[in-house]
């Protein structure tokens, strides 16, 4: 699985910690590359293009709270960005939503928790069925 990661300045530290932890997965780092202020919509756009072009199978996005960058990423048709805040949310984001971007808050979440959430998501399986009908509706909303 190809994973890409991106953050604004509010998520920079968490991004670096996750890259260190998941060295074996060779995450593609789409930026930002230092703690200077950047705009989270720009980072969400980079990630959306990476996922929609299939350069990445899964994206990880981080801003200060995870809220702004979630809003931005979900503007792109085909992106299902899930702000993950618990183990259950991580499991259900895969089982029900088949999320293709996981979102975290660099200023609101602990690194160890985020690692547990990512691991849980990656060990879970999309259930399809009635959930696919709902996902299909997402791509046809006016
Ligand atoms: C940047 O200061 C901050 O607004 C951003 O990281 C994020 O939390 C927005 O939702």
């Amino acid at each position: 699985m190809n994973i890409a990661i991106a953050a604004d300045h509010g998520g920079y530290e968490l991004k670096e910690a996750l890259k260190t932890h998941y060295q074996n997965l060779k995450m593609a780092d789409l930026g930002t590359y230092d703690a200077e202020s950047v705009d989270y919509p720009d980072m969400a756009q980079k990630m959306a293009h990476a996922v929609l072009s299939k350069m990445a199978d899964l994206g990880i996005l981080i801003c200060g709270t995870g809220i702004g960058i979630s809003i931005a990423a979900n503007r792109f048709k085909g992106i299902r960005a899930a702000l993950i805040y618990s183990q259950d949310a991580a499991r259900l984001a895969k089982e029900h939503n088949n999320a293709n971007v996981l979102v975290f808050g660099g200023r609101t979440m602990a690194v160890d928790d985020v690692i547990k959430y990512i691991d849980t998501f990656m060990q879970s399986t999309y259930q399809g069925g009635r959930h696919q009908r709902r996902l299909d509706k997402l791509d046809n909303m006016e």
Side-chain angles (χ1 to χ4, degrees), residues 118-132:
I118 293 171
D119 290 346
T120 296
F121 179 87
M122 292 203 293
Q123 289 157 12
S124 301
T125 304
Y126 176 50
Q127 291 179 344
R130 68 187 186 282
H131 303 296
Q132 188 57 48

Side-chain angles (χ1 to χ4, degrees), residues 68-94:
I69 212 160
S70 297
I71 294 170
N74 280 312
R75 296 283 173 110
F76 292 83
K77 182 177 175 181
I79 293 296
R80 295 179 301 281
L83 178 55
I84 305 295
Y85 50 86
S86 71
Q87 301 265 51
D88 278 347
R91 178 177 56 78
L92 290 165
K94 184 65 186 184

Side-chain angles (χ1 to χ4, degrees), residues 8 20 29 31 39 55 65 76 91 98 105 107 109 119 139:
D8 76 351
T20 301
D29 186 352
D39 295 337
M55 187 271 265
T65 59
F76 292 83
R91 178 177 56 78
N98 200 21
R107 293 173 177 154
M109 299 183 188
D119 290 346
D139 288 336

Side-chain angles (χ1 to χ4, degrees), residues 8-11 37-38 40 62-71 105 107:
D8 76 351
H9 53 289
S37 181
V38 293
Y40 60 79
I62 313 164
C63 68
T65 59
I67 295 171
I69 212 160
S70 297
I71 294 170
R107 293 173 177 154

